[in-house]
Amino acid sequence: MSIASKYDPVSTEAKWYAYWMEHKLFSSKVDHSKEPYTITMPPPNVTGVLHMGHMLNNTIQDVLIRRARMQGKNALWVPGTDHASIATETKVVNMLKEQGIDKKSLTREKFLEHAWEWKDKYGGIILDQLKKLGASCDWDRTAFTMDADLSDAVISVFVDLHKKGKIYRGIRMVNWDPQGKTALSDDEVITKEIQSKLYYIKYKIEGTEDQFLTIATTRPETIMADVAICVNPNDPRFTHLKGKKAIVPLINKAIPIIEDEYVDMEFGTGCLKVTPAHDINDYELGLKHKLEVIDILNDDGTLNEKAQILIGEDRFVARKMIAKKLKAVDQLEKIEDYKSNVGHSERTDAVIEPKLSLQWFLKMDDITKPALSAVMDDVIQLYPPKFKNMYRAWMENVRDWCISRQLWWGHRIPAYHLPNGEFVVAKTAEEALIIANEQYDGKFTLADLKQDEDVLDTWFSSWLWPISVFDPEVFTTGKPNEELKYYYPTNDLVTAPEILFFWVARMIIAGYEYTGEKPFKNVYLTGIVRDKLGRKMSKSLGNSPDPLDLITQNGADGVRTGMLFSSPAGNDLPYDDKLVEQGRNFSNKIWNAFRLVQGWEIDPNLDGSANASSIEWFENRFNQALVEINDHFEKFRISDALMSTYKLVWGDFCSWYLEMIKPAYQHPIDQQTYDKTIALFEDILKILHPFMPFISEELWHQIKERSVEESLILASWPREKGYDSQITEDASQIFEVVSQVRNLRASKGMSPKDALDLTINTRNEALYGRFSAVLNKLANLSSLNFGDKVDNAISFVVKSDECFIPMGDSINVEEEKENIQKEIDYNKGFLNSVMKKLSNERFVAGAPAQVIEMERKKQADAEAKIKALEESLAKLG
């Protein structure tokens, strides 16, 4: 079978993805003869398009799935999307605005028609883009958080938790997004440090003309909602004001001066204006002192009638106007620059407004306990484990979850309000009517019931994801179906640390609440993809390449490997275009390696014994690397697994093995060596496949025609066979000699075609004898001799062996002495660093035995090398 001179990733990727899909090679069904391996995709928002974070996250998932499939497991990767309440509603509202339609002019039903149309048109884009990356999901199982059966599961859970007394409705201070016009949970608020102003406002003491209290605030626009001024009872500056009142500027309203130790005497002026409706701490203070609550802001952040002045103005416009008005009446003492931490909506980036609001909440005190224990006791393992402390801190200080949102797109809360002011919770209006008439001995009709206007927080559906994608009915029946019994708990979750609490913790909570079991065994937390300046990559900053363009330019395999070259779990990935270029070059290297082998002419009569040591070495090196790679996978060091594979293929196979066995120009190769090389190449393609599925599948079929069942995606992962580390170590020594000879040629301007004599002073002549054919070929030697001294020769040391190459009269003795001394100094420095480690008691006590053994070996090698170099130096006088 002929092979193209140049690898074409575009056509190759389209061909093989269509092939895998056509033959349903990604699909999975319950099969009790196989061990299940399951990943549920973190469902991207239907508003989303592929970005660099998705690329990294989904590449890792696909690597794990493809390897598990090759290990003979029943591998299933469930894809899907999230309805993303706030983000999607914002998109639809903006789309309607462009069409001249105001959301307020539409009924809920009509708006939802537009939303579903938008979702059907744009919601699947990101999943189609993931196919370009090579994602081997079972696409027939694609789920959406607002599918009918998944929606039914969400409603069932709400009804159940309310029945258990874990969901309640109440007026609480919540995070309010004035742009999205909805409440947010604490986790949906991002705190940013911003440059603001501190305004020093003078409040006149009632009954006086020239006595004032000065109060520092960052929010002068809320003074109209002030209900008290608070001072610390231990502050001697204000003891004379006990029991008195102050006048709120501009509206001339008298408010009491109260005392509480909550006030920080060192901050600002030591006085605090108390505005319970617009600050969570003031709200708590107001409850304690039974103060009035005056909310002067509308849902959109404009001032309402209770403000008395500037009605209808935006809060930030009002802030500047209030400052001007205060200055005009001489009640603004000064303004200072001030850095403050301000909460922003994760979705709209609007500044959060603390707001008293009637909302639905989930009690989190007891329901979180099993989820905390599971992670702390390593029943569920986080990779890297450094995130355990962060997880514990959040779970131990968790607040009740505000689960209602003032939106139309989402799962509508199944609460039905009655004319008598009460409400009932039920899955349907019909069920609610029966309960209402029984509970209140009434004669209500369906027309009397009004369903709650709010929808549920997006995370209230996605926290059920690992269960609901298999058995959405289990929340109603309480009996798991066959799929849930077989595939759950899932194996590995790959996600970003920033949703450890949003989503991961809540899935664990739901898992224990509804199955009594963890939802997954391992959580691999990826880092953030950043640019060269350390900034998070985003389209808004313009510092992120288009992932699809990257795939077109470098091939999906190139991008996949490029993303993984430097992405250790939990650590940020410093992205550079050179990484994906390196990935593309790796594809080309593999392609050209196969072209080289395939181009050899075979002579079945040739004796292949000269290549026996080369084959033996690479078989051992492959098995050694396989152990390393498997160990990296077991410890979720995916980047390290790729690097071990990369070094094996590029370095050991292409740079050494193929050079060792390559026949001379226009000469044939023996059948035995050729067949063995193809078999080794097939093993290489197997370990490459999870990382580079397209080129590996293409070359697998280039080797010979294969049936669907013989496709590489279904091939068996290589088995560990053990290896002789002495052989690999000996070969490394031979390669070092070859490299030194090549370096010497380059430094002396000698032609690679000129054969050289090499004499080695060694106690292990057998080592060089075993690999003499390799050494002669790769170093281009005219003779290989053994001895302890050669006149007029340049020498170098490999481990403790001294090597000599005669130079006749052209040798510069002083230059050689200088070079040897430099090498002695370098090795002494290296030895010193090793000895520091070995003399460190904490290092020796804490490091694994193999690490200590490796350091001691480095010590012995360095000492032997220094000794040999010093002897060489002595011989030169």
Side-chain angles (χ1 to χ4, degrees), residues 617-629 722-725 728-729:
W617 161 71
F618 189 76
E619 284 179 326
N620 276 276
R621 178 65 196 107
F622 179 87
N623 289 320
Q624 183 184 42
L626 182 62
V627 171
E628 292 170 14
I629 292 162
Y723 59 91
D724 185 342
S725 59
T728 58
E729 198 173 315

PDB file of all heavy atoms in Angstrom, residues 617-629 722-725 728-729:
ATOM      1  N   TRP A 617      17.285  -4.413  22.494  1.00  0.00           N
ATOM      2  CA  TRP A 617      17.280  -3.154  23.273  1.00  0.00           C
ATOM      3  C   TRP A 617      15.930  -2.451  23.181  1.00  0.00           C
ATOM      4  O   TRP A 617      15.351  -2.062  24.195  1.00  0.00           O
ATOM      5  CB  TRP A 617      18.369  -2.202  22.763  1.00  0.00           C
ATOM      6  CG  TRP A 617      18.074  -0.800  23.225  1.00  0.00           C
ATOM      7  CD1 TRP A 617      18.163  -0.324  24.501  1.00  0.00           C
ATOM      8  CD2 TRP A 617      17.555   0.280  22.435  1.00  0.00           C
ATOM      9  NE1 TRP A 617      17.753   0.985  24.561  1.00  0.00           N
ATOM     10  CE2 TRP A 617      17.371   1.388  23.308  1.00  0.00           C
ATOM     11  CE3 TRP A 617      17.238   0.426  21.088  1.00  0.00           C
ATOM     12  CZ2 TRP A 617      16.874   2.621  22.860  1.00  0.00           C
ATOM     13  CZ3 TRP A 617      16.753   1.648  20.636  1.00  0.00           C
ATOM     14  CH2 TRP A 617      16.579   2.728  21.525  1.00  0.00           C
ATOM     15  N   PHE A 618      15.394  -2.281  21.948  1.00  0.00           N
ATOM     16  CA  PHE A 618      14.172  -1.493  21.845  1.00  0.00           C
ATOM     17  C   PHE A 618      12.984  -2.206  22.487  1.00  0.00           C
ATOM     18  O   PHE A 618      12.119  -1.567  23.074  1.00  0.00           O
ATOM     19  CB  PHE A 618      13.839  -1.124  20.398  1.00  0.00           C
ATOM     20  CG  PHE A 618      12.710  -0.141  20.343  1.00  0.00           C
ATOM     21  CD1 PHE A 618      12.926   1.208  20.654  1.00  0.00           C
ATOM     22  CD2 PHE A 618      11.415  -0.546  20.064  1.00  0.00           C
ATOM     23  CE1 PHE A 618      11.873   2.115  20.668  1.00  0.00           C
ATOM     24  CE2 PHE A 618      10.359   0.357  20.068  1.00  0.00           C
ATOM     25  CZ  PHE A 618      10.591   1.701  20.372  1.00  0.00           C
ATOM     26  N   GLU A 619      12.947  -3.532  22.405  1.00  0.00           N
ATOM     27  CA  GLU A 619      11.865  -4.258  23.086  1.00  0.00           C
ATOM     28  C   GLU A 619      11.908  -3.971  24.584  1.00  0.00           C
ATOM     29  O   GLU A 619      10.873  -3.730  25.213  1.00  0.00           O
ATOM     30  CB  GLU A 619      11.996  -5.766  22.834  1.00  0.00           C
ATOM     31  CG  GLU A 619      11.554  -6.191  21.453  1.00  0.00           C
ATOM     32  CD  GLU A 619      11.716  -7.682  21.234  1.00  0.00           C
ATOM     33  OE1 GLU A 619      12.676  -8.279  21.785  1.00  0.00           O
ATOM     34  OE2 GLU A 619      10.890  -8.256  20.522  1.00  0.00           O
ATOM     35  N   ASN A 620      13.103  -3.992  25.148  1.00  0.00           N
ATOM     36  CA  ASN A 620      13.249  -3.699  26.576  1.00  0.00           C
ATOM     37  C   ASN A 620      12.912  -2.239  26.880  1.00  0.00           C
ATOM     38  O   ASN A 620      12.245  -1.930  27.869  1.00  0.00           O
ATOM     39  CB  ASN A 620      14.671  -4.014  27.046  1.00  0.00           C
ATOM     40  CG  ASN A 620      14.847  -5.475  27.386  1.00  0.00           C
ATOM     41  OD1 ASN A 620      14.541  -5.927  28.476  1.00  0.00           O
ATOM     42  ND2 ASN A 620      15.334  -6.239  26.409  1.00  0.00           N
ATOM     43  N   ARG A 621      13.358  -1.341  25.993  1.00  0.00           N
ATOM     44  CA  ARG A 621      13.083   0.087  26.202  1.00  0.00           C
ATOM     45  C   ARG A 621      11.580   0.367  26.108  1.00  0.00           C
ATOM     46  O   ARG A 621      11.036   1.149  26.887  1.00  0.00           O
ATOM     47  CB  ARG A 621      13.836   0.911  25.161  1.00  0.00           C
ATOM     48  CG  ARG A 621      13.596   2.402  25.260  1.00  0.00           C
ATOM     49  CD  ARG A 621      14.131   3.005  26.564  1.00  0.00           C
ATOM     50  NE  ARG A 621      13.569   4.323  26.791  1.00  0.00           N
ATOM     51  CZ  ARG A 621      12.643   4.608  27.700  1.00  0.00           C
ATOM     52  NH1 ARG A 621      12.162   3.661  28.485  1.00  0.00           N
ATOM     53  NH2 ARG A 621      12.195   5.830  27.837  1.00  0.00           N
ATOM     54  N   PHE A 622      10.900  -0.297  25.164  1.00  0.00           N
ATOM     55  CA  PHE A 622       9.455  -0.121  25.030  1.00  0.00           C
ATOM     56  C   PHE A 622       8.740  -0.575  26.298  1.00  0.00           C
ATOM     57  O   PHE A 622       7.857   0.125  26.822  1.00  0.00           O
ATOM     58  CB  PHE A 622       8.922  -0.899  23.826  1.00  0.00           C
ATOM     59  CG  PHE A 622       7.423  -0.774  23.653  1.00  0.00           C
ATOM     60  CD1 PHE A 622       6.878   0.269  22.927  1.00  0.00           C
ATOM     61  CD2 PHE A 622       6.561  -1.693  24.250  1.00  0.00           C
ATOM     62  CE1 PHE A 622       5.503   0.408  22.789  1.00  0.00           C
ATOM     63  CE2 PHE A 622       5.190  -1.561  24.127  1.00  0.00           C
ATOM     64  CZ  PHE A 622       4.657  -0.509  23.389  1.00  0.00           C
ATOM     65  N   ASN A 623       9.123  -1.761  26.782  1.00  0.00           N
ATOM     66  CA  ASN A 623       8.458  -2.281  27.984  1.00  0.00           C
ATOM     67  C   ASN A 623       8.754  -1.423  29.208  1.00  0.00           C
ATOM     68  O   ASN A 623       7.896  -1.250  30.081  1.00  0.00           O
ATOM     69  CB  ASN A 623       8.876  -3.736  28.224  1.00  0.00           C
ATOM     70  CG  ASN A 623       8.283  -4.674  27.188  1.00  0.00           C
ATOM     71  OD1 ASN A 623       7.131  -4.519  26.792  1.00  0.00           O
ATOM     72  ND2 ASN A 623       9.070  -5.637  26.726  1.00  0.00           N
ATOM     73  N   GLN A 624       9.960  -0.878  29.257  1.00  0.00           N
ATOM     74  CA  GLN A 624      10.307   0.046  30.353  1.00  0.00           C
ATOM     75  C   GLN A 624       9.434   1.292  30.282  1.00  0.00           C
ATOM     76  O   GLN A 624       8.876   1.743  31.280  1.00  0.00           O
ATOM     77  CB  GLN A 624      11.786   0.415  30.245  1.00  0.00           C
ATOM     78  CG  GLN A 624      12.283   1.305  31.376  1.00  0.00           C
ATOM     79  CD  GLN A 624      13.741   1.713  31.155  1.00  0.00           C
ATOM     80  OE1 GLN A 624      14.149   2.036  30.037  1.00  0.00           O
ATOM     81  NE2 GLN A 624      14.526   1.683  32.214  1.00  0.00           N
ATOM     82  N   ALA A 625       9.303   1.847  29.062  1.00  0.00           N
ATOM     83  CA  ALA A 625       8.488   3.052  28.880  1.00  0.00           C
ATOM     84  C   ALA A 625       7.014   2.771  29.170  1.00  0.00           C
ATOM     85  O   ALA A 625       6.312   3.610  29.739  1.00  0.00           O
ATOM     86  CB  ALA A 625       8.646   3.588  27.464  1.00  0.00           C
ATOM     87  N   LEU A 626       6.551   1.577  28.791  1.00  0.00           N
ATOM     88  CA  LEU A 626       5.147   1.219  29.028  1.00  0.00           C
ATOM     89  C   LEU A 626       4.823   1.213  30.517  1.00  0.00           C
ATOM     90  O   LEU A 626       3.756   1.686  30.935  1.00  0.00           O
ATOM     91  CB  LEU A 626       4.848  -0.151  28.409  1.00  0.00           C
ATOM     92  CG  LEU A 626       3.401  -0.639  28.524  1.00  0.00           C
ATOM     93  CD1 LEU A 626       2.456   0.307  27.784  1.00  0.00           C
ATOM     94  CD2 LEU A 626       3.278  -2.065  27.976  1.00  0.00           C
ATOM     95  N   VAL A 627       5.753   0.699  31.311  1.00  0.00           N
ATOM     96  CA  VAL A 627       5.557   0.718  32.781  1.00  0.00           C
ATOM     97  C   VAL A 627       5.454   2.163  33.272  1.00  0.00           C
ATOM     98  O   VAL A 627       4.583   2.502  34.087  1.00  0.00           O
ATOM     99  CB  VAL A 627       6.702  -0.030  33.494  1.00  0.00           C
ATOM    100  CG1 VAL A 627       6.635   0.170  35.004  1.00  0.00           C
ATOM    101  CG2 VAL A 627       6.656  -1.521  33.149  1.00  0.00           C
ATOM    102  N   GLU A 628       6.340   3.029  32.765  1.00  0.00           N
ATOM    103  CA  GLU A 628       6.306   4.457  33.151  1.00  0.00           C
ATOM    104  C   GLU A 628       4.979   5.092  32.752  1.00  0.00           C
ATOM    105  O   GLU A 628       4.349   5.813  33.532  1.00  0.00           O
ATOM    106  CB  GLU A 628       7.433   5.227  32.445  1.00  0.00           C
ATOM    107  CG  GLU A 628       8.837   4.901  32.864  1.00  0.00           C
ATOM    108  CD  GLU A 628       9.862   5.543  31.914  1.00  0.00           C
ATOM    109  OE1 GLU A 628       9.473   6.434  31.132  1.00  0.00           O
ATOM    110  OE2 GLU A 628      11.040   5.142  31.952  1.00  0.00           O
ATOM    111  N   ILE A 629       4.558   4.830  31.519  1.00  0.00           N
ATOM    112  CA  ILE A 629       3.338   5.446  30.984  1.00  0.00           C
ATOM    113  C   ILE A 629       2.121   4.995  31.788  1.00  0.00           C
ATOM    114  O   ILE A 629       1.274   5.807  32.172  1.00  0.00           O
ATOM    115  CB  ILE A 629       3.186   5.108  29.483  1.00  0.00           C
ATOM    116  CG1 ILE A 629       4.281   5.810  28.676  1.00  0.00           C
ATOM    117  CG2 ILE A 629       1.800   5.485  28.968  1.00  0.00           C
ATOM    118  CD1 ILE A 629       4.486   5.225  27.287  1.00  0.00           C
ATOM    119  N   GLY A 722       7.645  -6.914  31.462  1.00  0.00           N
ATOM    120  CA  GLY A 722       8.907  -6.890  32.198  1.00  0.00           C
ATOM    121  C   GLY A 722      10.038  -6.501  31.269  1.00  0.00           C
ATOM    122  O   GLY A 722       9.906  -6.582  30.046  1.00  0.00           O
ATOM    123  N   TYR A 723      11.148  -6.072  31.842  1.00  0.00           N
ATOM    124  CA  TYR A 723      12.276  -5.640  31.004  1.00  0.00           C
ATOM    125  C   TYR A 723      13.574  -5.772  31.793  1.00  0.00           C
ATOM    126  O   TYR A 723      13.564  -5.834  33.026  1.00  0.00           O
ATOM    127  CB  TYR A 723      12.081  -4.186  30.555  1.00  0.00           C
ATOM    128  CG  TYR A 723      11.970  -3.194  31.696  1.00  0.00           C
ATOM    129  CD1 TYR A 723      13.101  -2.559  32.211  1.00  0.00           C
ATOM    130  CD2 TYR A 723      10.737  -2.915  32.267  1.00  0.00           C
ATOM    131  CE1 TYR A 723      13.004  -1.669  33.260  1.00  0.00           C
ATOM    132  CE2 TYR A 723      10.636  -2.026  33.328  1.00  0.00           C
ATOM    133  CZ  TYR A 723      11.761  -1.401  33.816  1.00  0.00           C
ATOM    134  OH  TYR A 723      11.672  -0.531  34.875  1.00  0.00           O
ATOM    135  N   ASP A 724      14.664  -5.840  31.040  1.00  0.00           N
ATOM    136  CA  ASP A 724      15.996  -5.923  31.629  1.00  0.00           C
ATOM    137  C   ASP A 724      16.581  -4.505  31.642  1.00  0.00           C
ATOM    138  O   ASP A 724      16.999  -3.993  30.600  1.00  0.00           O
ATOM    139  CB  ASP A 724      16.867  -6.873  30.803  1.00  0.00           C
ATOM    140  CG  ASP A 724      18.237  -7.102  31.437  1.00  0.00           C
ATOM    141  OD1 ASP A 724      18.636  -6.282  32.303  1.00  0.00           O
ATOM    142  OD2 ASP A 724      18.909  -8.072  31.061  1.00  0.00           O
ATOM    143  N   SER A 725      16.607  -3.888  32.799  1.00  0.00           N
ATOM    144  CA  SER A 725      17.070  -2.500  32.886  1.00  0.00           C
ATOM    145  C   SER A 725      18.558  -2.383  32.574  1.00  0.00           C
ATOM    146  O   SER A 725      19.027  -1.310  32.172  1.00  0.00           O
ATOM    147  CB  SER A 725      16.786  -1.913  34.270  1.00  0.00           C
ATOM    148  OG  SER A 725      17.423  -2.666  35.267  1.00  0.00           O
ATOM    149  N   THR A 728      18.921  -1.629  28.816  1.00  0.00           N
ATOM    150  CA  THR A 728      18.600  -0.237  28.475  1.00  0.00           C
ATOM    151  C   THR A 728      19.669   0.706  29.003  1.00  0.00           C
ATOM    152  O   THR A 728      20.003   1.705  28.355  1.00  0.00           O
ATOM    153  CB  THR A 728      17.216   0.170  29.030  1.00  0.00           C
ATOM    154  OG1 THR A 728      17.185  -0.008  30.446  1.00  0.00           O
ATOM    155  CG2 THR A 728      16.111  -0.666  28.394  1.00  0.00           C
ATOM    156  N   GLU A 729      20.241   0.364  30.143  1.00  0.00           N
ATOM    157  CA  GLU A 729      21.298   1.210  30.707  1.00  0.00           C
ATOM    158  C   GLU A 729      22.567   1.112  29.864  1.00  0.00           C
ATOM    159  O   GLU A 729      23.232   2.122  29.580  1.00  0.00           O
ATOM    160  CB  GLU A 729      21.588   0.759  32.147  1.00  0.00           C
ATOM    161  CG  GLU A 729      22.322   1.791  32.959  1.00  0.00           C
ATOM    162  CD  GLU A 729      22.451   1.373  34.420  1.00  0.00           C
ATOM    163  OE1 GLU A 729      21.462   0.915  35.003  1.00  0.00           O
ATOM    164  OE2 GLU A 729      23.561   1.499  34.968  1.00  0.00           O
TER     165      GLU A 729
END
